Amino acid sequence: METLTFERVASWERVAFATGPGSDQGPAVRQAYREAGLAEPERVIVLGSPAAGALAAAWLTGDESVRRTLAETGLVADVLLRMGESNGLEAGRSVREKIRTRPWAAARAAACEALGHDGWSARWAETGGRIWPRVERIVGDIRRAVGDLGGESLRHHTLDAVLGQHDAPWLSAFDGLDGLGRVAGCAGWWWPFERVAIVTERPAEIHLDELGRLHRADGPALAYPDGFALHAWHGMPVPASFGAAMTGLTAERIREEQNAELRRVMLEHFGFERYLADSGARPVQRDETGRLWRIDLADDEPIAMVEVVNSTPEPDGTSRTYFLRVPPWVSRARQGVAWTFGLTEEDYHPERET
């Protein structure tokens, strides 16, 4: 087995989150076919996104009824134009099992035999286990978005894809699989058939938060070169119009938002302290610990916050004010401050507040 290095894992992590056009996709795909003992495909079709790839796979393998359904999505024309003369080509049966499933199983069996059960578990923890949770989240987001575009038929075809760059976590744990690794290094999701291989580009851009979730306030968090894009805020799907709504956001616009989840996102982005000031809110209770504020929201639970003053002055002599988010059932400031320490109000007796 190849000696594991930090550089190897880091290299595959870069593959998983790489953006921009790849090169030599055709030769890489043909190598994967040869390594699986298959004849090379007659055509390698390169499309702009997993959505386009799933649609092309569904179109090439579906009957007239399927094609009529796909045509209703309004997505077909551009994909067929990009497919060009391949549109009339018979794709043949899927060879995903021969290209990915069987070699994958053999590589894992070899690793388990060489390392033993505990050794294999340790190897996965050191390699793919470090990358897969973040990649898995993105894969799920893409499948959901493709399903939203074209329904169950397209979502089903995403399950038949070889994940290309998003197979990087697994490829980091196995030796061999050179052809699959080469495709992963230059392409996104792809669909191998007997006569045709449908390959898609990597994203043009990707934006993640500190937990590896898709996240962006002013545009798509994941965007592909053909226009397919996912908009998200800390992993939560949001409409494409979300970025525009966040520009010039006001307390009034937040109050007018009907979607409770989006309203919470707007509040988080706008800032609770700023919202309290701009909305003309009044504290509902105060005591020696601070002031309790409550924001009532339509069709949602209220937001409760305790305003406290740091008893330790800043270097310039001023005292900094903080707002602590507390559960909506809190009715007193002291009760809220105690909750932040995991205590009941009766048990909260600080010797010195900071």
Side-chain angles (χ1 to χ4, degrees):
M1 301 290 288
E2 178 184 331
T3 301
L4 288 175
T5 63
F6 172 80
E7 289 76 15
R8 170 177 172 168
V9 177
S11 175
W12 281 111
E13 185 173 23
R14 288 192 293 272
V15 167
F17 299 102
T19 58
S23 60
D24 296 327
Q25 293 152 326
V29 166
R30 291 186 170 90
Q31 179 180 342
Y33 271 72
R34 291 194 304 271
E35 290 182 0
L38 297 169
E40 295 180 7
E42 297 172 28
R43 297 279 301 181
V44 176
I45 305 166
V46 180
L47 299 173
S49 70
L55 194 150
W59 183 271
L60 288 175
T61 60
D63 57 21
E64 288 303 317
S65 174
V66 170
R67 292 185 176 187
R68 282 195 300 271
T69 300
L70 293 174
E72 294 173 359
T73 67
L75 305 172
V76 172
D78 183 60
V79 171
L80 294 184
L81 179 64
R82 293 175 181 274
M83 287 168 60
E85 63 186 85
S86 300
N87 184 23
L89 181 63
E90 292 293 333
R93 293 174 298 180
S94 171
V95 292
R96 181 182 185 275
E97 180 177 358
K98 293 181 179 179
I99 280 185
R100 183 184 186 272
T101 306
R102 292 181 188 175
W104 207 276
R108 177 169 179 169
C112 288
E113 182 178 357
L115 300 171
H117 178 77
D118 292 342
W120 162 249
S121 296
R123 183 183 180 94
W124 172 251
E126 294 169 358
T127 56
R130 297 175 179 267
I131 312 170
W132 177 239
R134 287 172 291 156
V135 173
E136 182 183 28
R137 189 179 296 121
I138 293 172
V139 169
D141 290 340
I142 292 172
R143 285 188 170 132
R144 172 197 53 78
V146 172
D148 289 345
L149 278 175
E152 185 60 27
S153 176
L154 284 194
R155 195 198 72 82
H156 172 76
H157 278 279
T158 65
L159 301 176
D160 292 333
V162 181
L163 299 183
Q165 69 177 128
H166 292 150
D167 275 336
W170 305 92
L171 293 167
S172 72
F174 300 148
D175 293 326
L177 305 178
D178 295 337
L180 288 171
R182 185 178 174 189
V183 179
C186 64
W189 296 16
W190 61 291
W191 286 258
F193 297 96
E194 289 175 317
R195 301 178 63 185
V196 175
I198 301 166
V199 184
T200 65
E201 297 283 8
R202 299 179 301 198
E205 54 182 315
I206 183 170
H207 303 269
L208 305 171
D209 67 8
E210 66 280 358
L211 298 180
R213 300 172 298 189
L214 292 175
H215 172 67
R216 190 180 180 190
D218 57 353
L222 181 67
Y224 283 86
D226 64 356
F228 174 66
L230 279 66
H231 294 75
W233 176 269
H234 292 301
M236 187 185 83
V238 296
S241 58
F242 176 78
M246 300 296 267
T247 302
L249 195 60
T250 64
E252 182 179 4
R253 171 67 184 87
I254 294 172
R255 286 194 298 271
E256 292 173 349
E257 176 56 50
Q258 298 298 308
N259 184 300
E261 289 187 340
L262 291 183
R263 190 165 55 234
R264 293 189 201 109
V265 169
M266 289 177 173
L267 273 168
E268 181 182 341
H269 182 71
F270 190 72
F272 295 106
E273 180 178 354
R274 182 182 172 193
Y275 182 85
L276 290 173
D278 288 9
S279 63
R282 296 283 190 276
V284 297
Q285 190 269 341
R286 70 181 69 198
D287 55 36
E288 74 282 1
T289 62
R291 298 193 293 178
L292 176 67
W293 299 79
R294 189 178 306 276
I295 304 172
D296 292 317
L297 302 173
D299 302 319
D300 200 1
E301 65 179 18
I303 292 175
M305 305 189 74
V306 178
E307 178 187 357
V308 298
V309 177
N310 190 352
S311 61
T312 302
E314 299 294 316
D316 62 1
T318 61
S319 295
R320 188 171 180 180
T321 299
Y322 294 91
F323 285 81
L324 308 175
R325 182 83 180 268
V326 296
W329 46 261
V330 168
S331 59
R332 295 173 298 281
R334 184 181 181 85
Q335 182 186 27
V337 174
W339 177 86
T340 66
F341 288 99
L343 300 172
T344 65
E345 185 176 0
E346 293 75 19
D347 294 333
Y348 178 61
H349 302 290
E351 294 182 3
R352 179 171 181 264
E353 296 185 21
T354 59

